[in-house]
């Protein structure tokens, strides 16, 4: 070009960029999968803590009952679930209570069960029956004769989790948005 100083800029990396865009959907799915699994594990841990705040169960028992199904590349969803299994009162901290009977003998008067934080139940007429797991089960007689016995149950992790679903779900959604952004920037898309 006469009278001008010029130079030319050409882009010869089109093939490289097309290849980059071809792998972008796979990278994006992988980033979302990682974000979902991270938030799922975090929410599961929060649910364990929330359940422990409500009921007085051992942490190992709660961890066995509340689990999650992780996301896969085909299924971009995480499911946190708790088995709907009844929890016997013997799983909670408890102690047998006694009273004075005829002739000064000790007679079983009931069982005191610490169900939640600051929530203790006194079940009069209940006793610790030497059946089932080590330590026995807390039971009541259902009629006058010695048998049958009714094994007593308390609140389960699934019941507590059901009452906390909205709160945990809202918190998980907020976490998921931030985690997806973090994983996408980390994946260099």
């Amino acid at each position: 070009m006469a009278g001008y100083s010029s130079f030319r800029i050409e882009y010869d990396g089109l093939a490289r960029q097309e290849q980059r865009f071809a792998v972008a959907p796979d990278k994006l799915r992988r980033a979302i999968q990682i974000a979902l699994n991270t938030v799922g594990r975090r929410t599961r841990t929060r649910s364990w803590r929330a359940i422990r705040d409500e009921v007085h169960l051992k942490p190992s028992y709660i961890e066995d009952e509340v689990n999650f199904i992780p996301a896969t590349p085909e299924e971009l969803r995480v499911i946190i679930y708790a088995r709907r299994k009844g929890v016997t009162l013997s799983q909670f901290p408890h102690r047998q209570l006694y009273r004075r009977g005829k002739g000064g003998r000790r007679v079983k008067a009931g069982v005191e069960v610490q169900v939640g934080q600051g929530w203790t139940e006194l079940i009069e007429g209940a006793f610790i029956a030497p059946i089932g797991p080590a330590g026995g089960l807390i039971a009541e007689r259902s009629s006058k004769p010695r048998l049958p016995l009714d094994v007593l149950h308390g609140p389960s992790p699934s019941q507590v989790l059901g009452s906390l679903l909205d709160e945990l779900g809202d918190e998980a959604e907020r976490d998921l948005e931030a985690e997806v952004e973090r994983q996408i920037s980390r994946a260099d898309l």
Side-chain angles (χ1 to χ4, degrees):
M1 290 180 70
Y4 292 99
S5 297
S6 65
F7 62 94
R8 197 159 136 168
I9 300 176
E10 288 185 8
Y11 187 72
D12 58 350
L14 184 60
R16 192 173 52 233
Q17 291 303 330
E18 285 177 345
Q19 186 180 18
R20 182 175 173 204
F21 285 129
V23 297
D26 294 335
K27 279 187 170 182
L28 182 62
R29 286 185 77 77
R30 179 72 180 143
I32 292 172
Q33 176 191 357
I34 292 170
L36 279 168
N37 288 336
T38 301
V39 171
R41 282 188 295 276
R42 192 179 303 152
T43 304
R44 178 184 59 177
T45 303
R46 281 188 189 131
S47 66
W48 290 344
R49 289 181 185 142
I51 291 169
R52 273 199 325 256
D53 289 345
E54 295 285 322
V55 293
H56 204 125
L57 289 168
K58 291 181 180 178
S60 61
Y61 182 80
I62 294 171
E63 290 170 13
D64 287 343
E65 295 297 313
V66 180
N67 291 299
F68 87 108
I69 299 171
T72 62
E74 297 80 32
E75 293 283 331
L76 293 177
R77 52 84 187 117
V78 171
I79 299 173
I80 297 173
Y81 66 95
R83 279 186 275 179
R84 291 187 179 197
K85 180 177 139 187
V87 178
T88 60
L89 280 181
S90 59
Q91 294 284 342
F92 298 93
H94 60 278
R95 67 183 181 126
Q96 180 73 57
L97 299 177
Y98 296 93
R99 63 178 168 79
R100 295 263 179 226
K102 292 181 184 175
R105 294 185 353 196
R106 283 185 1 155
V107 178
K108 293 180 180 177
V111 177
E112 184 180 70
V113 182
Q114 191 176 14
V115 178
Q117 305 298 340
W119 175 23
T120 303
E121 281 191 30
L122 172 62
I123 305 163
E124 293 182 16
F127 59 95
I128 301 172
I131 56 175
L137 295 173
I138 299 173
E140 281 183 318
R141 299 200 192 289
S142 58
S143 60
K144 252 327 187 191
R146 296 187 63 82
L147 294 174
L149 299 176
D150 289 332
V151 176
L152 302 176
H153 292 80
S156 68
S158 66
Q159 290 172 326
V160 176
L161 186 62
S163 67
L164 301 170
L165 283 179
D166 292 335
E167 182 181 318
L168 289 170
D170 293 342
E171 200 170 348
E173 283 181 22
R174 284 191 304 272
D175 284 352
L176 184 60
E177 287 180 32
E179 187 64 25
V180 165
E181 288 300 320
R182 189 178 83 80
Q183 289 298 333
I184 287 175
S185 66
R186 185 173 163 252
D188 194 31
L189 290 175

